[in-house]
Amino acid sequence: MSVPAIFDYHPAQSLDEAIALLQQYGDDAKVLAGGHSLIPAMKLRLSQPAHLIDIARIDGLSYIREDGDVVAIGAMTTYTTLAKSDLLRQRFPLLTDTASVLGDQQVRNRGTLGGSIAHSDPAGDMPGVVLALKATIVAKGPNGSRTIAADDFFVGTFETALAPDEILTEIRLPLPGAHTGSAYIKLENKASHYAITGSAVVLTLDNAGVCSAASLTITGASTQTVRATAAEAALVGKKLDSAVIADAASHAADGMEAVADIHGSAEYRRQMTNVIAQRALLKALERAQA
Ligand SMILES: Cc1cc2nc3c(=O)[nH]c(=O)nc-3n(C[C@H](O)[C@H](O)[C@H](O)COP(=O)(O)OP(=O)(O)OC[C@H]3O[C@@H](n4cnc5c(N)ncnc54)[C@H](O)[C@@H]3O)c2cc1C
């Protein structure tokens, strides 16, 4: 059985303490949240931090609350808590649907929304969802808190806009307008449930049924979660029907650098991206029209 390299464990009692530890240990330190990506990586020795700063004991990092025109979610909120939230089911069914199909029950009980986003795994489900929902990410560092738009947050494979001494504290989701529908569909690896390709969609229609806003993101198929801008452009300003959706979905993989691995070739991923995007778009449209 694989075991991690030796490390010192620091159970931080406050955000300030965790940030001070990050400053003290620099590149030798890693934040530990739910541990469901970091610990497997440490056991495989892909990651060998000398210091683990556990933020699970810090009070006040797990919550879901309406705050004016946004819903704010604490970074340590687990997928199970997200999936069970009535507020989210009512306001952001995209998030509850995704939290319900992510990994298995043990992963959902421990894994956190903040951890998933900070990890920026190209195959992770939540980066595509928060990108589609146009979330704002709140990060706290030695100089206080700052906000980062989701579109600027995911900068590469396992890379984000977080500074090394910052902790992601909150995810803020703007409340959707009327006639908004959303959906997440993934073609998953049957063993791990990770997306081979997945598509998160948010569609808003105006009173005449014309698409006034469209968000379509792709996860799993590329080196990072991407926004399918060509497909989005093919939707906005149009009255949506199955022909418009099929045309937009055929552009979902445009410009995407598809990855190839044992689960599928780049060409397979591109084709399946278009198929999965079409299914997600149709489901989101049905919900927007309901
Ligand atoms: C068997 C298995 C199946 C899985 N299947 C899926 C799946 O289908 N879909 C999917 O999306 N994921 C899947 N996962 C991964 C799971 O979702 C992880 O929970 C998630 O990727 C990371 O969240 P975490 O809270 O566990 O973070 P951790 O593993 O604790 O941390 C991950 C990384 O983020 C950093 N980090 C964490 N929180 C913060 C923070 N607040 N501020 C700054 N940095 C932070 C850590 O330093 C680390 O680098 C699976 C995992 C396992 C073990």
Side-chain angles (χ1 to χ4, degrees), residues 94 98 183-187 195 197-201 219 275-281 283:
L94 178 57
T98 307
Y184 179 65
I185 293 188
K186 64 175 167 177
L187 171 67
T197 182
S199 187
V201 172
T219 194
V275 171
I276 294 295
Q278 184 171 358
R279 287 181 52 200
L281 283 165
K283 191 166 171 186

Side-chain angles (χ1 to χ4, degrees), residues 30-40 55 75-76 79 101-104 107 110-116 118-119 121 123-126 162 166-169 186 192-195:
K30 277 262 180 208
V31 168
L32 177 68
H36 269 57
S37 288
L38 183 53
I39 300 293
I55 59 170
M76 286 300 291
Y79 307 122
V101 297
L102 192 155
D104 52 39
V107 173
R110 296 287 307 174
T112 66
L113 182 60
S116 171
H119 193 46
D121 185 334
D125 296 299
M126 287 301 180
L162 278 181
E166 282 182 322
I167 292 180
L168 192 164
T169 56
K186 64 175 167 177
S192 69
H193 306 284
Y194 275 109

Side-chain angles (χ1 to χ4, degrees), residues 179 181 201-206 208-215 231-248 280-282 284-286 288-289:
H179 311 301
V201 172
V202 182
L203 294 177
T204 303
L205 309 180
D206 67 16
V210 172
C211 178
S212 56
S215 226
E232 290 175 347
L235 295 160
V236 177
K238 301 209 176 110
K239 191 144 189 151
L240 302 187
D241 57 22
S242 53
V244 174
I245 295 279
D247 174 60
L281 283 165
L282 286 169
L285 176 60
E286 197 182 305
Q289 290 170 331

Side-chain angles (χ1 to χ4, degrees), residues 15 31 33-34 55 60-64 72-79 82 110-118 137-138 167-171:
L15 268 177
V31 168
I55 59 170
L61 283 180
S62 174
Y63 54 85
I64 302 167
I73 304 175
M76 286 300 291
T77 309
T78 63
Y79 307 122
L82 297 176
R110 296 287 307 174
T112 66
L113 182 60
S116 171
I117 292 167
I137 314 299
V138 184
I167 292 180
L168 192 164
T169 56
E170 186 175 271
I171 298 93

